[in-house]
Amino acid sequence: MRTPSHVVVDWGTSSFRLWALDAGGHVLGERRSAQGLAASAAEGFEAVLESYLAALGVREGVPAMMCGMVGSRAGWKEAAYLDAPVRLDRLAALATDVPAARRRVAILPGIAQRRRRHPDVMRGEETQLLALTREGHDGLACLPGTHSKWVRLEKGAVERFSTFMTGELFQLVRTATVVAPAVEGAPPVEAAAPAFARGVADALEAPETVGNRLFELRAGWLLADAPAEETLARLSGLLIGLEIAGARQRLGRLDGTVLIASGPAAALYRRAFAVAEIAGVTLRDAETCVRDGLHEAARIAFAPVDGAAR
Amino acid sequence: MRTPSHVVVDWGTSSFRLWALDAGGHVLGERRSAQGLAASAAEGFEAVLESYLAALGVREGVPAMMCGMVGSRAGWKEAAYLDAPVRLDRLAALATDVPAARRRVAILPGIAQRRRRHPDVMRGEETQLLALTREGHDGLACLPGTHSKWVRLEKGAVERFSTFMTGELFQLVRTATVVAPAVEGAPPVEAAAPAFARGVADALEAPETVGNRLFELRAGWLLADAPAEETLARLSGLLIGLEIAGARQRLGRLDGTVLIASGPAAALYRRAFAVAEIAGVTLRDAETCVRDGLHEAARIAFAPVDGAAR
């Protein structure tokens, strides 16, 4: 491997992704694992980081730029939230250095929305958005996940955002409620499943009935032996449809939304957006975005004072 | 204790309530415990029942009328669902006898709604409703709980109903999500709490945003140290408000609803109904209703063939 210019790390609650990049942002090497916050705190964050870097042969002088829950109070070093509205190109300038680390390690701040009626927070997604605003994108972005984010970007700034507990509710309902036996053993939801689209449509039509729809999933299994695969697809559709209905209420028309997602979530949300007749949707790969955002931040933060590295 | 005419039992998933009644339905003795289905299946349903009856001194010839999950597939003896619409005075005639029990034991059937788009089931609530229809009540009834029921009664029949997972979601969100640390240690929700009423009002105003409101509970705690007591009240209000919004969608105007509830749920739902400006609400005690309904069923089912016991 060539000597990298810097390494970048997306370190979340349950995942660790590291890339060694050259000055142009090209990937020279990478490591990924499930060694998130909980697993790393015991071993020590620096030990975890250095073991991956040693495996890649990255020498000590190479600085590391990070984002994600590693910057939370429960992480390596707290990187205090920036308050929205905030320009995303401020992120790099306000990165927090980890004191006494073996190499230079900086952690990007999250963003807090301190509106009394609508408090909200993000940590990690802001870095994906940085990749977007760097290209001049304005408007809405949707970042699906355990806690899906809907963000309004204006002139390079996060103007406002709303988080939805969609992914967390999905996991809970499917594993820990009376719906669980009705979806037991179901394979992952297919975006093309008609039951998924019907769930989205039903939630959009009458989102206030979601508590009833959830119970109907159980009753449909009890009374009519509804197949687990279909029931799980319907559950997923209902919760994603509810999120879209909520995003409309919070942010208005959703046309032109940039969907920042990877893997199965990308396909499910694209299908749901089609059911909701959201026009002009573009898809960006979430992993590419977080890497590009981290690279951009590293380029700014680690540049020589005279700016020659640009 | 005088010799009872019959005993009646409401035997649910997590609770057991038994009353020894005279021919007029007056309570001669009672027993209650947390020995619900799970706890009873291991020991044996008959052994559990007889131990309580022995403690009360009820002799073997006295018959027992039961309702609740004891009649489910996982219970003592399955009492097959009746299909809605169904007249409630049919319940007693269609009770299922437990074969080879030491005394006569009959279990009331639940009700199934086999509508393709809106499958639903109840088991136990139908017995509370029997007490209502016996008095000639028509219209809507709301039975709050782990799975809240909203029921349209017409001419003594359950015409249709909708179950909402309100109580189950409340328990899950408060214990098993990122909201949990924000409500840790909170005392039970007070119906008079302003945060409860605000939660109800917010959910009624924009029920589609519930997934966002839940995350805001966490963010309000992170950013503004919202007190656990207030956050829990708000959570309760949001979920009950969502249920009311859903019930309106499913059943239309809710004026004149009979609220069948006991304990804290009665106070919370009354307050929520007031916030939702539901007029003409009357409250019936849930426990009295189930006992009265069981008594009515026992009176019909256990009457001598010539009807002399009436």
Side-chain angles (χ1 to χ4, degrees):
Chain A
M1 190 177 79
R2 283 191 286 136
T3 297
S5 163
H6 44 262
V7 297
V8 299
V9 185
D10 177 18
W11 207 335
T13 303
S14 56
S15 70
F16 174 95
R17 294 182 295 186
L18 177 152
W19 297 274
L21 304 176
D22 70 13
H26 301 106
V27 177
L28 305 177
E30 64 178 84
R31 280 292 184 276
R32 57 186 69 214
S33 79
Q35 206 157 8
L37 246 54
S40 304
E43 192 177 336
F45 291 97
E46 180 153 45
V48 172
L49 174 67
E50 292 298 337
S51 74
Y52 286 113
L53 292 176
L56 278 171
V58 176
R59 63 176 176 78
E60 290 217 343
V62 177
M65 178 60 73
M66 307 191 173
C67 72
M69 294 301 284
V70 68
S72 70
R73 217 165 294 174
W76 190 350
K77 161 79 184 164
E78 189 174 4
Y81 290 115
L82 304 186
D83 291 353
V86 60
R87 288 186 57 90
L88 287 161
D89 56 13
R90 299 274 296 148
L91 284 176
L94 294 165
T96 295
D97 275 316
V98 176
R102 216 172 303 173
R103 68 181 71 233
R104 183 161 178 206
V105 176
I107 304 180
L108 293 175
I111 298 180
Q113 176 168 279
R114 299 183 192 275
R115 295 165 64 199
R116 198 181 62 80
R117 295 273 299 164
H118 296 299
D120 216 321
V121 290
M122 67 168 74
R123 216 179 251 293
E125 293 88 354
E126 71 294 327
T127 305
Q128 299 177 48
L129 295 168
L130 173 59
L132 223 62
T133 52
R134 201 186 144 205
E135 297 162 18
H137 176 79
D138 261 1
L140 292 177
C142 166
L143 302 93
T146 303
H147 301 141
S148 295
K149 309 283 177 187
W150 284 80
V151 186
R152 180 169 294 288
L153 298 168
E154 277 182 30
K155 297 179 187 161
V158 167
E159 185 57 31
R160 58 186 293 175
F161 62 101
S162 299
T163 303
F164 295 80
M165 270 183 45
T166 311
E168 186 167 12
L169 287 176
F170 178 71
Q171 281 307 326
L172 267 183
V173 171
R174 75 173 291 183
T175 59
T177 68
V178 293
V179 176
V183 297
E184 209 182 307
V189 178
E190 299 276 354
F196 175 76
R198 274 202 307 276
V200 173
D202 283 346
L204 287 170
E205 191 196 318
E208 67 274 34
T209 62
V210 63
N212 174 228
R213 293 282 191 193
L214 294 180
F215 191 81
E216 286 178 352
L217 296 178
R218 176 176 175 86
W221 167 71
L222 277 176
L223 298 181
D225 274 326
E229 187 168 354
E230 201 179 299
T231 304
L232 190 67
R234 191 166 159 69
L235 169 63
S236 175
L238 284 171
L239 294 177
I240 293 175
L242 180 68
E243 176 183 323
I244 293 172
R248 274 197 174 126
Q249 203 285 338
R250 286 279 181 266
L251 298 158
R253 285 180 63 88
L254 306 180
D255 292 344
T257 294
V258 176
L259 175 60
I260 304 181
S262 297
L268 291 173
Y269 273 71
R270 271 177 87 100
R271 179 87 190 98
F273 281 17
V275 172
E277 298 181 350
I278 301 174
V281 175
T282 54
L283 175 66
R284 295 291 303 267
D285 181 67
E287 188 166 305
T288 308
C289 282
V290 76
R291 199 178 64 219
D292 287 356
L294 281 162
H295 169 65
E296 173 70 1
R299 217 169 54 102
I300 298 170
F302 300 148
V305 177
D306 65 0
R310 290 184 76 112
Chain B
M1 190 176 78
R2 282 190 288 135
T3 297
S5 164
H6 44 262
V7 297
V8 300
V9 185
D10 177 17
W11 207 334
T13 303
S14 56
S15 71
F16 175 94
R17 294 182 296 186
L18 177 151
W19 296 274
L21 304 177
D22 70 12
H26 301 107
V27 178
L28 304 178
E30 64 178 85
R31 282 291 183 276
R32 56 186 70 215
S33 78
Q35 206 156 7
L37 247 54
S40 304
E43 191 175 337
F45 291 98
E46 180 153 45
V48 172
L49 174 67
E50 291 299 337
S51 74
Y52 286 113
L53 291 176
L56 277 171
V58 176
R59 63 177 176 76
E60 291 215 343
V62 177
M65 178 60 73
M66 307 192 173
C67 71
M69 293 302 283
V70 69
S72 69
R73 215 166 296 174
W76 189 353
K77 161 79 184 162
E78 188 174 4
Y81 291 115
L82 304 187
D83 291 354
V86 61
R87 286 187 57 91
L88 286 161
D89 56 14
R90 300 273 294 148
L91 284 175
L94 294 164
T96 296
D97 275 315
V98 175
R102 214 173 304 175
R103 67 182 72 232
R104 184 163 178 205
V105 176
I107 305 180
L108 294 174
I111 298 180
Q113 176 168 279
R114 298 182 193 273
R115 297 164 63 199
R116 200 183 59 82
R117 294 272 300 165
H118 297 298
D120 215 322
V121 290
M122 66 168 74
R123 217 179 249 293
E125 293 88 354
E126 71 294 328
T127 305
Q128 299 177 48
L129 295 168
L130 173 59
L132 222 63
T133 53
R134 202 185 144 207
E135 297 162 18
H137 176 79
D138 262 0
L140 292 177
C142 166
L143 303 93
T146 302
H147 301 142
S148 294
K149 309 283 178 190
W150 284 80
V151 186
R152 180 170 295 288
L153 298 169
E154 278 182 31
K155 297 180 187 160
V158 167
E159 185 57 32
R160 59 185 295 175
F161 61 101
S162 300
T163 303
F164 295 81
M165 269 182 47
T166 310
E168 186 167 13
L169 287 176
F170 178 71
Q171 281 306 326
L172 267 184
V173 172
R174 74 173 291 185
T175 58
T177 67
V178 293
V179 177
V183 296
E184 209 182 307
V189 177
E190 299 277 355
F196 174 76
R198 273 202 308 276
V200 174
D202 283 348
L204 288 168
E205 190 196 320
E208 67 273 34
T209 62
V210 62
N212 174 228
R213 293 283 190 194
L214 295 180
F215 191 82
E216 287 178 352
L217 297 178
R218 176 178 175 86
W221 167 71
L222 277 176
L223 299 181
D225 274 327
E229 187 168 353
E230 200 179 300
T231 304
L232 190 68
R234 191 165 159 67
L235 170 62
S236 175
L238 284 171
L239 294 176
I240 294 175
L242 180 68
E243 176 183 323
I244 293 173
R248 274 197 176 128
Q249 203 286 336
R250 286 278 180 266
L251 299 159
R253 286 180 62 88
L254 305 180
D255 292 344
T257 294
V258 176
L259 174 61
I260 305 182
S262 297
L268 291 173
Y269 273 71
R270 273 179 85 99
R271 179 88 190 96
F273 281 17
V275 172
E277 297 181 352
I278 301 173
V281 175
T282 54
L283 175 66
R284 296 289 303 267
D285 181 67
E287 188 166 304
T288 307
C289 283
V290 77
R291 199 179 63 219
D292 287 356
L294 281 163
H295 169 65
E296 172 70 2
R299 217 168 55 102
I300 298 170
F302 301 148
V305 177
D306 65 2
R310 289 186 72 114

